[in-house]
Amino acid sequence: MEQAMCVVAKSDWKRYTLKSLAFWVVFAIITGILFGIYDPAMAVKAKPGIDWFIQILKWLVGPIIFLTIISGIVGLESLKEVGSIGFKAFVYFEIVSTFALAIGVLFGNLFGPGNGMNLSVESLDANSVAKFTNANQEVGSFLSILKSAIPHDPITPFIHGNTLQVLVMALTLAILISAFGGKHKPTILKPLEIAQNFFFKILTILMWLSPIASFSAMAFLIGKFGIASLINMASLLGVMAISVLAFIFGVLGIIMAIFKINIFKFMRFIAKEVLIVFATSSSESALAPLMKRLEAAGVSRGTTGLVIPTGYSFNLDCTNIYLSLSIIFISQAFNIPLTLAEELSIIFILMVTSKGAVGVTGSGFIVLAGTLSAMGGAIPVVTVAVLLGVDKFMSEMRAVGNLCGNAVAAVVVGAWDKQIDMEKFKYALDHPESVEDAIPG
């Protein structure tokens, strides 16, 4: 009897580990870190592995988002439902994003990660941040958002993975089909769903390459910057980690509790996507699988298709934490005291400047530089240079936090608008394996 149980246990172990994508991603992360420590020079050369993976994902994510939004919105009964979901998503984004900004300021003051560094502005190399400080100063303005949302042609947004432009094109086409499609809507939907399933099948195959991308990303990160480079900035990274966890299990946990959903069960439910995003430092690596997972769990396609892509443009909660925390850190590191009024102004300015930089290379630094400029020179813009060394490490936390924030947003808006089968959803949280067959990878 015992021997039979051992055989079963071994069989289960092989099934849930050796055949599990999550297992190989973890294995790749550990191997990449060790390789980066053992041979930094060679590890740096592994960078193309992650670059190619992300580039291919960008090509796939555009069509998947485009098709998902159209099929989801056209599948809704009326445009009134689209407006209802969109309005509630907008309200949710603004409220939760503001909480995220406040958490960055609060935890920055509470832990004081920059206190005692006593850095000098004169010692910084202004050229190291020139490409960020000399960037378009309109980033974050309403005009810049409108400009960046309108594509010059219908092909480029798919090639470059510009989520905001793909979103605008999909919404426009979906609304036109819903308004004028009439009885032909089912006929229009059929080829869209076939195309969507085709791209998801390609994604399923591609996701099995994510361990290679994870290995490349971690090897490059450790080989390039070294674990020793973290020592001087360890306090900032630690406060960032605490802030992100407090936001996820505190703010998002309370919001989920209002709808009687356990945040710990939900995090277990999306654990695979979280792990992949952490390893690759890219939210795009799990965007499409996350949408499919939530849809399989009972969230309507219209809700996932509209809220999640929109959230990646306007609900980057943990990017907001990073921005506000970074400004507090810089003020402490350079001994530049900020009054309560100035700290409140940081939140209000970031509520505007944190929007609209999606798809812009180095957008975090551009927004940070733009915010410091908007503060009237209280903190010199060149001080953002002090963050260059740890930005790669912080980007992993931002990516994971943003994924969690947008996953919760889709569930909350779905529950608020009654666009979720709550019984099915709660069953999926208790039995995550019940939806695995529907998820790419």
Side-chain angles (χ1 to χ4, degrees), residues 147-184:
K147 285 181 179 178
S148 64
I150 301 172
H152 295 290
D153 62 78
I155 306 299
T156 303
F158 293 100
I159 296 175
H160 295 290
N162 190 313
T163 306
L164 185 59
Q165 293 182 355
V166 171
L167 177 65
V168 169
M169 289 194 297
L171 282 173
T172 303
L173 188 55
I175 290 171
L176 288 173
I177 294 173
S178 295
F180 304 106
K183 63 181 181 180
H184 299 294

Side-chain angles (χ1 to χ4, degrees), residues 82-98 142 306-307 310-311 314-315 351 355 409 413 416:
V82 179
S84 178
I85 294 172
F87 173 75
K88 287 168 182 172
F90 174 77
V91 171
Y92 176 88
F93 291 164
E94 289 305 310
I95 293 173
V96 177
S97 294
T98 304
F142 181 72
L306 185 57
V307 175
T310 307
F314 300 106
N315 186 47
M351 285 174 66
K355 305 292 193 297
V413 172
W416 185 5

